């Protein structure tokens, strides 16, 4: 099967117009191409028979340097942690680690940093991951204990006000605060569909124990965000307090798809009522504290994850610190700790290895070089595949993919 057939096949069933935007994003550079082709990564990983044996854990499934960030939890504390669990599954931890290592090689290449620095950094990541595993204790990274650039980052996001996100996402139209359609990531909804959607969220607010009580829905749009998830149905809602005029919340509602790992993980999985139940279970388990309002719902035959969008949500922008090697070192070191904490938190749950098995794995050394070698070689393959994809994209191959569209999004330039 050709690369183009594999890519088009992995995006079947998604929203056609949005998939075209995904392809555009993937054409920017090899690192973003990697972020948009998680399924291809696992198709190729299946062929690598010598991947070292490793304990089972609840893994993020799509771990890379852009899937760590800040968020506010239900306890109003801001944390730095893993923050994307769309692909989460019970799987060998080696799967998680080798994808993360590959992302470091590709990110450093994107930043035009020397290959030797990337190699040093993947060694730093694995060394600290193993050391943290051997402690058997899962901690958290929050402003009071964060170090270096991560501390500076968290202190900065803590000072942001809700007005910041409102200024970026909303506008006043006909004397009403609504979600801005000037943002190229926001798309207008058909009126009848919008009515059904806002009615569903209104019911969720009234009936769900995780919902923000005494709020009403004021507006809704289709939202475009990320890279790998572009093409899924995703909506953003503006809510206003019924008790305090002018107090707003913004809610994200994202469709969940089956995990890209499912065909390649030969481990019996729990039976979930919906894909969103799986995602929320893994996120609640693996994060120190789940993000605010995290829950799931079903709408018109699809399942969705719901969470609050916050001014404290952000990612480390590596482009801004590419000349600050010590800061990059600290960030990668912290990401290694967070990955180990995540696996330790999931220990002994629904088939995952107990903490003692993870500790023993961390004490071993032989598996580290094997993962580094695979990630290094695979990063070279990703760059070659990216060049082939870019040529195909520019020649129009990917505009011919016949992907079933759905009628509810109205593309408007209002």
């Amino acid at each position: 099967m050709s690369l183009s057939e594999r890519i088009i096949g992995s995006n079947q069933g998604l929203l056609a117009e949005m998939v075209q935007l995904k392809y555009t994003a993937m054409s920017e550079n090899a690192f973003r191409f990697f972020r948009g082709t998680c399924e291809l990564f696992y198709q190729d990983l299946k062929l690598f028979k010598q991947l070292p044996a490793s304990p089972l854990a609840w893994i993020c499934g799509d771990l890379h340097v852009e899937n760590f960030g800040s968020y506010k939890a239900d306890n109003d504390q801001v944390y730095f942690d893993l923050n994307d669990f769309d692909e989460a599954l019970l799987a060998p931890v080696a799967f998680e680690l080798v994808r993360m290592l590959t992302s470091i090689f590709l990110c450093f290449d994107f930043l035009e940093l020397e290959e030797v620095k990337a190699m040093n950094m993947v060694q730093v990541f694995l060394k600290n991951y193993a050391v943290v595993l051997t402690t058997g204790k899962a901690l958290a990274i929050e402003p009071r204990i964060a170090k270096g650039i991560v501390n500076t980052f968290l202190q900065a996001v803590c000072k942001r006000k809700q007005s910041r996100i409102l200024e970026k996402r909303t506008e006043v139209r006909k004397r009403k605060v609504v979600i801005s359609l000037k943002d190229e990531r926001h798309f207008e909804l058909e009126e009848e569909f919008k009515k059904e959607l806002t009615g569903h969220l209104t019911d969720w607010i009234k009936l769900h124990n995780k919902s923000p009580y005494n709020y009403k829905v004021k507006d809704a749009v289709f939202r475009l965000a990320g890279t790998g998830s572009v093409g899924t149905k995703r909506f953003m809602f503006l809510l206003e307090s019924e008790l305090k005029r002018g107090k707003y919340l913004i809610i994200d509602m994202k469709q969940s798809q089956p995990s890209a790992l499912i065909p390649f993980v030969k481990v019996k999985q729990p039976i979930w009522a919906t894909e969103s139940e799986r995602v929320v279970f893994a996120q609640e388990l693996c994060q120190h504290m789940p993000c605010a309002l995290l829950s799931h719902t079903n709408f018109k035959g699809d399942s969705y994850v719901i969470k609050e969008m916050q001014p404290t949500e952000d990612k480390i922008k590596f482009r801004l610190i590419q000349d600050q090697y010590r800061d990059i070192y600290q960030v990668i070191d912290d990401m290694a700790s967070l990955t180990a904490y995540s696996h330790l938190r999931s220990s002994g749950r629904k088939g995952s290895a107990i903490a003692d098995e993870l500790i023993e794995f961390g004490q071993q050394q032989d598996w580290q070089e094997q993962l580094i070698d695979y990630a290094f070689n695979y990063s070279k393959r990703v760059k070659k595949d990216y060049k082939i994809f870019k040529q195909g994209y520019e020649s129009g191959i990917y505009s011919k993919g016949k992907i079933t569209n759905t009628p509810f999004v109205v593309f408007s330039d209002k």
Side-chain angles (χ1 to χ4, degrees), residues 375-393:
F376 176 76
N377 291 325
Y378 191 74
S379 69
K380 301 295 185 184
R381 173 168 177 170
V382 172
K383 287 188 281 187
K384 291 179 181 178
D385 284 349
Y386 166 69
K387 290 180 180 178
I388 297 171
F389 167 77
K390 180 79 179 233
Q391 292 171 352
Y393 173 79

Side-chain angles (χ1 to χ4, degrees), residues 202-257:
T202 297
D203 291 340
W204 175 79
I205 292 171
K206 292 178 180 177
L207 302 173
H208 203 286
N209 61 1
K210 289 286 188 72
S211 70
Y213 298 112
N214 299 311
Y215 275 83
K216 57 184 178 181
V217 182
K218 302 295 290 184
D219 198 14
V221 298
F222 185 97
R223 178 185 178 222
L224 187 70
T227 300
S229 61
V230 174
T232 59
K233 301 170 189 176
R234 191 167 191 171
F235 308 106
M236 184 167 68
F237 301 86
L238 178 67
L239 276 56
E240 184 178 18
S241 172
E242 295 182 303
L243 302 179
K244 186 176 180 180
R245 184 176 177 82
K247 183 178 180 181
Y248 296 94
L249 288 177
I250 296 182
I251 299 295
D252 178 77
M253 178 173 153
K254 181 181 180 183
Q255 181 191 17
S256 296
Q257 301 282 354

Side-chain angles (χ1 to χ4, degrees), residues 18 21 164-171 173 178-189 194 219-225 234-238 250-252 309 409-414:
M18 295 300 166
L21 296 177
R164 171 171 175 159
I165 195 170
L166 291 172
E167 289 171 2
K168 291 176 63 177
R169 301 286 187 178
T170 64
E171 62 180 320
R173 203 181 315 136
V178 294
I179 300 174
S180 175
L181 291 174
K182 297 175 183 177
D183 191 318
E184 61 183 10
R185 297 167 297 177
H186 299 168
F187 298 87
E188 189 175 11
L189 299 169
K194 183 176 180 179
D219 198 14
V221 298
F222 185 97
R223 178 185 178 222
L224 187 70
R234 191 167 191 171
F235 308 106
M236 184 167 68
F237 301 86
L238 178 67
I250 296 182
I251 299 295
D252 178 77
M309 290 180 63
V409 179
V410 176
F411 295 91
S412 171
D413 59 358
K414 292 181 181 179

Side-chain angles (χ1 to χ4, degrees), residues 58-61 85-90 259 261 278-279 282-283:
W58 283 95
I59 68 171
C60 152
F85 294 85
D86 291 348
E87 313 295 348
L89 214 64
L90 180 65
S259 172
L261 284 74
R278 167 185 58 80
V279 174
Q283 186 160 350

Side-chain angles (χ1 to χ4, degrees), residues 65-299:
V65 296
E66 291 284 333
N67 270 348
F68 294 81
S70 62
Y71 68 93
K72 183 182 72 174
D74 281 329
N75 62 358
D76 285 331
Q77 176 67 59
V78 174
Y79 295 97
F80 184 63
D81 209 338
L82 285 71
N83 64 1
D84 188 335
F85 294 85
D86 291 348
E87 313 295 348
L89 214 64
L90 180 65
V93 297
F95 284 25
E96 186 101 294
L97 299 176
V98 77
R99 182 156 176 83
M100 179 64 182
L101 299 184
T102 305
S103 84
I104 294 174
F105 282 121
L106 291 169
C107 180
F108 272 53
D109 183 73
F110 165 66
L111 297 175
E112 299 179 339
L113 297 172
E114 298 94 327
E115 196 172 87
V116 65
K117 288 185 177 179
M119 184 62 73
N120 289 340
M121 207 57 67
V122 297
Q123 291 171 345
V124 165
F125 181 91
L126 279 192
K127 180 180 178 181
N128 192 42
Y129 170 82
V131 168
V132 172
L133 272 193
T134 62
T135 69
K137 184 177 292 186
L139 304 177
I141 295 181
E142 43 94 356
R144 291 172 297 180
I145 62 172
K147 302 175 183 176
I149 189 68
V150 176
N151 178 273
T152 304
F153 167 73
L154 286 178
Q155 294 292 348
V157 298
C158 283
K159 294 176 182 177
R160 294 179 191 160
K161 304 297 183 183
Q162 186 68 16
S163 56
R164 171 171 175 159
I165 195 170
L166 291 172
E167 289 171 2
K168 291 176 63 177
R169 301 286 187 178
T170 64
E171 62 180 320
V172 177
R173 203 181 315 136
K174 295 181 180 179
R175 297 185 180 182
K176 294 181 180 180
V177 178
V178 294
I179 300 174
S180 175
L181 291 174
K182 297 175 183 177
D183 191 318
E184 61 183 10
R185 297 167 297 177
H186 299 168
F187 298 87
E188 189 175 11
L189 299 169
E190 288 182 348
E191 197 58 41
E192 186 60 32
F193 181 86
K194 183 176 180 179
K195 183 178 179 181
E196 292 180 272
L197 185 63
T198 55
H200 177 81
L201 198 75
T202 297
D203 291 340
W204 175 79
I205 292 171
K206 292 178 180 177
L207 302 173
H208 203 286
N209 61 1
K210 289 286 188 72
S211 70
Y213 298 112
N214 299 311
Y215 275 83
K216 57 184 178 181
V217 182
K218 302 295 290 184
D219 198 14
V221 298
F222 185 97
R223 178 185 178 222
L224 187 70
T227 300
S229 61
V230 174
T232 59
K233 301 170 189 176
R234 191 167 191 171
F235 308 106
M236 184 167 68
F237 301 86
L238 178 67
L239 276 56
E240 184 178 18
S241 172
E242 295 182 303
L243 302 179
K244 186 176 180 180
R245 184 176 177 82
K247 183 178 180 181
Y248 296 94
L249 288 177
I250 296 182
I251 299 295
D252 178 77
M253 178 173 153
K254 181 181 180 183
Q255 181 191 17
S256 296
Q257 301 282 354
S259 172
L261 284 74
I262 279 290
F264 316 110
V265 175
K266 304 306 179 185
V267 177
K268 185 178 180 180
Q269 302 292 319
I271 298 175
W272 306 106
T274 66
E275 296 296 339
S276 294
E277 183 183 15
R278 167 185 58 80
V279 174
V280 170
F281 168 83
Q283 186 160 350
E284 290 181 332
L285 184 62
C286 296
Q287 288 183 328
H288 175 69
M289 288 288 291
C291 59
L293 305 184
L294 180 66
S295 59
H296 56 89
T297 188
N298 299 323
F299 175 67

